[in-house]
Amino acid sequence: MIVAALGGALDPSRVRTAVPMAPLTTFRIGGPADALYDATSGADLANAITAARSAGIPWTLVGLGANVLVGDRGIRGLVIRNATGQVSTPGPNRLHADSGVVVADLIRSASDRGWSGLEHYVGIPSTVGGALWQNLHFLSPAPERERTMFIAEVVESVELLLPDGTAKTVGGDEMAFGYDTSRLHGSGEVALGASFHLGSADVGALQRVMQENLGWRGARHPWLEWHPSAGSIFRKIDGVGAGRLIDQCGLKGFRIGGAQISHLHANIIVNCGRATASDVRAVISHAQEAVERRFGHRLVPEIGFLGEF
Ligand SMILES: Cc1cc2nc3c(=O)[nH]c(=O)nc-3n(C[C@H](O)[C@H](O)[C@H](O)COP(=O)(O)OP(=O)(O)OC[C@H]3O[C@@H](n4cnc5c(N)ncnc54)[C@H](O)[C@@H]3O)c2cc1C
């Protein structure tokens, strides 16, 4: 039905139907998308969104699915997976990337050239678009780790697809970046690509930061390959990490069905094998209630909830 409604605006052989979403998320949870389309270039991505809008079909954009929980009943309409992947070097210390470029690949392009500013985000699953959406962040390098670094610090400009179908380039300072947020939230705008202005550093020093960051993460976070997750579930409260509050409620290891609060990091819920989205939601509610009862604060999820639960 969706293929017919698109009326040939997208190549029908590339629109797959009833596609399970679980393998397309890092949580490995979620029912089927009615239809799925992999967009492979910026123009293809813009065309897919415009085609869905014109046909009145609800659409959902995903990158690596690393910051979302998809409902057990799946997603109605067209899911567009951002598989755009072009990277270029318009000048010294400058990278331009399609929004579907995987951040790990972008970091490699920069660090091989001795360009600094992206190395902090090594080991975090993300596309460029997902990084812009949530203003990707991590702690500054060891040993101090005294502040949070944000990808906003190296974003020079972003190409946006506006809700009326036109494109516009805005400066990084116009992106309304904040903690876990940007102007992409609620605006109906989609990032098609971004330019990054990077610093210079010794290649060996960049390698050291990356190895230390990977070691730090490996010791404190559950391994994604073994324990699928969506990273941190809740936002900070008044600068205090939600994990600390959940831990103080004695909830590490708390489990409903296949969803468990990680033994390593109390702000991460892991899929122990057969978790459903309902299991995860039940664990989220339990943690919210426990923290509210003990500390009087309601935890707010930072992950996105997609589809029907
Ligand atoms: C193990 C693990 C560790 C993590 N650690 C960190 C961490 O240290 N720091 C951190 O900041 N995050 C962390 N995260 C969260 C996650 O990696 C980031 O939020 C990441 O940016 C998500 O990118 P994505 O491509 O998977 O986005 P998705 O999850 O696919 O999408 C997230 C949202 O962004 C929107 N979106 C995606 N692309 C675009 C676009 N081009 N234009 C407009 N909207 C778009 C989607 O519609 C969706 O609403 C972690 C996650 C995991 C699983």
Side-chain angles (χ1 to χ4, degrees):
M1 210 170 92
I2 288 181
V3 178
L6 286 166
L10 294 181
D11 176 354
S13 70
R14 290 175 56 198
V15 182
R16 292 184 281 149
T17 53
V19 181
M21 284 300 297
L24 308 182
T25 71
T26 56
F27 236 148
R28 299 278 181 261
I29 293 172
D34 286 343
L36 181 93
Y37 183 80
D38 284 340
T40 54
S41 69
D44 194 24
L45 174 59
N47 182 48
I49 292 167
T50 304
R53 277 184 178 139
S54 311
I57 297 169
W59 57 275
T60 304
L61 177 62
V62 294
L64 295 185
N67 202 35
V68 294
L69 176 66
V70 175
D72 296 320
R73 295 168 59 211
I75 304 181
R76 304 291 72 81
L78 181 67
V79 172
I80 301 166
R81 195 161 59 139
N82 192 349
T84 64
Q86 200 78 36
V87 179
S88 60
T89 50
N93 299 81
R94 283 189 160 77
L95 284 176
H96 180 271
D98 284 346
S99 58
V101 167
V102 174
V103 168
D105 295 333
L106 197 64
I107 295 172
R108 216 165 280 121
S109 297
S111 58
D112 285 352
R113 294 178 167 86
W115 295 351
S116 62
L118 291 168
E119 63 281 5
H120 315 290
Y121 313 108
V122 71
I124 307 176
S126 184
T127 58
V128 165
L132 296 170
W133 167 270
Q134 200 79 341
N135 193 10
L136 199 69
H137 48 82
F138 189 58
L139 295 173
S140 59
E144 292 82 10
R145 300 214 182 274
E146 86 288 8
R147 78 173 184 97
T148 302
M149 320 275 304
F150 294 93
I151 200 143
E153 295 171 39
V154 291
V155 174
E156 187 167 51
S157 61
V158 179
E159 290 102 63
L160 298 172
L161 179 71
L162 305 181
D164 66 5
T166 60
K168 174 183 175 184
T169 299
V170 299
D173 56 348
E174 297 172 84
M175 282 297 290
F177 285 121
Y179 203 106
D180 284 335
T181 191
S182 72
R183 70 181 273 165
L184 299 175
H185 287 236
S187 66
E189 296 170 341
V190 164
L192 297 175
S195 292
F196 298 89
H197 188 187
L198 304 167
S200 297
D202 176 64
V203 173
L206 294 177
Q207 291 296 336
R208 179 181 60 77
V209 170
M210 291 193 285
Q211 287 174 33
E212 284 174 354
N213 281 358
L214 288 169
W216 194 94
R217 301 184 78 83
R220 288 166 181 78
H221 292 191
W223 272 28
L224 207 46
E225 291 75 10
W226 285 94
H227 291 110
S229 78
S232 295
I233 293 286
F234 298 107
R235 293 177 191 279
K236 288 186 173 184
I237 291 185
D238 297 336
V240 179
R244 197 186 304 171
L245 304 178
I246 297 168
D247 193 11
Q248 285 173 15
C249 292
L251 287 177
K252 273 186 176 165
F254 175 82
R255 177 170 175 164
I256 294 176
Q260 183 182 49
I261 295 180
S262 166
H263 288 285
L264 275 185
H265 192 311
N267 198 16
I268 296 179
I269 295 176
V270 293
N271 175 357
C272 293
R274 294 186 181 216
T276 61
S278 303
D279 294 340
V280 175
R281 295 249 293 203
V283 172
I284 287 175
S285 298
H286 186 85
Q288 284 175 317
E289 280 154 27
V291 167
E292 190 161 18
R293 220 177 300 122
R294 173 129 188 222
F295 298 105
H297 290 296
R298 183 88 181 157
L299 293 174
V300 177
E302 61 142 290
I303 59 167
F305 296 89
L306 301 182
E308 295 181 354
F309 284 80

